[in-house]
Amino acid sequence: MVRRIDVTGADGVRLAAWEFADPPKERAGSDSAGPDSAGADRAPGVLLLHGLMGRASHWAPTARWLSERYRAVGLDQRGHGRSEKPADGPYTRDAYVADAEAAIEQLDLGPVTVVGHAMGALTGWQLAAKRPDLVRAVVICDMRASALGAASQREWSDWFASWPLPFATLADVRKWFGEDDPWVERPNPSRGAFYAEVMAEKEDGWRPVFSRSQMLRSRATWVYDAHWEELAQVRCPALVLRGLDGELGRAEAQEMVRVLPRGQYAEVADAGHLVHYDRPEGWRAAVEPFLEQLAEDTRGDREPVAP
């Protein structure tokens, strides 16, 4: 089951959150009248944050196995998916972080584990630095802490301009992004499927559900700056995860782990930037042990050790 939950983000922006399973049922015999007992009975929350141009539905395979033990919620961030796309924004880092903060509080998810991909990972660690009371742990998937610079932004602008819009069919979307896109080094069907999910049919053909200019504005708020200082302020457990063929190099990833007070490292073979989409089995094998260890540590904190 997937159900939509409307959330009000910063500046009153309407956001669409998606819960990927039935709400957790209280255990038999529990006293649901008090807030303490309700908090003890509920499944731990996981907030799934997509990257630039993504949407919450990209997390569906991950949410299926997460929902067996967690309350898994994906958020369509502002400008993406079914969430509002205000013409004037703002599409700043502060706005994205405030939206995630609002979602956690309104959905009563905290303290939550934030699983973020790319831009969503940056939002996750910035939120953890700002509101440690709301974030139990973070998974940082293929997001660099170093500045990418002006050349990267120009390259993205040129890439957006190269899209042959509108696409006549979804098959054309899958083929172009999976095979014909000049950014594709070798055929990648999962990349084509990823972009097919962010297209909608219009009168003249298939177009993205987001504004490319808004995506560039969003990206401009973080590509020119490094984010090491905020990374060092993340006090909760953090997993830095990369695909071997992704955008985050091993040396930088390991330096991020060193900077994080409680950092861990994992990598997924034969995966590119879209780690969770390229290799869902490898992604799960890398993330699940981190979550299980987190659960064990949490139980250990709650349960006194017998003398």
Side-chain angles (χ1 to χ4, degrees):
M1 171 184 173
V2 180
R3 68 182 184 116
R4 173 174 172 165
I5 309 171
D6 291 330
V7 172
T8 302
D11 309 307
V13 172
R14 296 187 303 275
L15 304 173
W18 305 88
E19 188 163 4
F20 287 91
D22 293 330
K25 297 181 176 61
E26 293 180 353
R27 291 194 296 265
S30 66
D31 180 7
S32 60
D36 293 340
S37 63
D41 285 337
R42 70 185 183 186
V46 176
L47 181 66
L48 301 158
L49 296 178
H50 60 74
L52 194 73
M53 302 182 292
R55 64 187 308 170
S57 65
H58 284 141
W59 291 112
T62 296
R64 290 190 188 102
W65 60 264
L66 278 175
S67 62
E68 297 172 4
R69 298 178 59 182
Y70 305 91
R71 184 185 176 199
V73 177
L75 180 67
D76 280 340
Q77 297 173 78
R78 62 174 58 208
H80 297 75
R82 295 290 186 88
S83 287
E84 191 175 0
K85 305 167 180 64
D88 298 328
Y91 294 100
T92 62
R93 286 283 80 223
D94 286 344
Y96 281 108
V97 172
D99 287 346
E101 185 178 356
I104 293 169
E105 291 181 329
Q106 291 172 39
L107 299 174
D108 194 23
L109 284 173
V112 70
T113 297
V114 180
V115 177
H117 174 246
M119 181 189 75
L122 176 58
T123 299
W125 88 61
Q126 289 180 327
L127 176 62
K130 177 187 177 184
R131 291 289 308 272
D133 58 309
L134 288 184
V135 181
R136 185 194 308 273
V138 290
V139 175
I140 298 168
C141 179
D142 214 59
M143 180 63 192
R144 299 178 61 182
S146 60
L148 301 181
S152 172
Q153 189 72 348
R154 288 194 299 270
E155 186 178 68
W156 270 71
S157 179
D158 292 342
W159 177 59
F160 276 144
S162 75
W163 290 17
L165 296 175
F167 292 97
T169 68
L170 273 181
D172 293 330
V173 174
R174 295 187 183 95
K175 184 177 186 301
W176 195 82
F177 286 101
E179 300 177 25
D180 301 337
D181 184 346
W183 275 27
V184 175
E185 294 183 0
R186 57 181 181 272
N188 185 345
S190 65
R191 187 175 187 269
F194 182 95
Y195 283 98
E197 282 199 51
V198 293
M199 296 288 162
E201 189 172 18
K202 308 294 184 180
E203 291 184 358
D204 60 348
W206 292 83
R207 294 181 177 274
V209 298
F210 51 80
S211 161
R212 289 172 292 169
S213 64
Q214 289 179 356
M215 296 299 99
L216 284 175
R217 285 164 57 193
S218 172
R219 196 172 186 271
T221 65
W222 50 267
V223 296
Y224 301 112
D225 301 314
H227 306 283
W228 295 98
E229 184 175 348
E230 291 158 305
L231 196 71
Q233 296 170 10
V234 176
R235 300 296 173 183
C236 63
L239 176 67
V240 178
L241 190 153
R242 60 181 288 268
L244 291 188
D245 298 321
E247 297 178 9
L248 175 61
R250 178 179 285 134
E252 182 171 352
Q254 292 178 343
E255 179 63 12
M256 290 169 66
V257 171
R258 189 192 69 78
V259 168
L260 284 160
R262 301 173 68 182
Q264 300 180 38
Y265 175 78
E267 59 187 27
V268 178
D270 300 320
H273 177 59
L274 305 174
V275 183
H276 58 298
Y277 217 80
D278 282 342
R279 294 290 181 267
E281 298 85 2
W283 159 260
R284 178 174 182 174
V287 172
E288 198 165 29
F290 173 76
L291 298 179
E292 290 176 349
Q293 183 60 55
L294 181 67
E296 290 179 9
D297 293 344
T298 301
R299 284 193 294 269
D301 290 341
R302 291 178 179 173
E303 298 173 5
V305 178

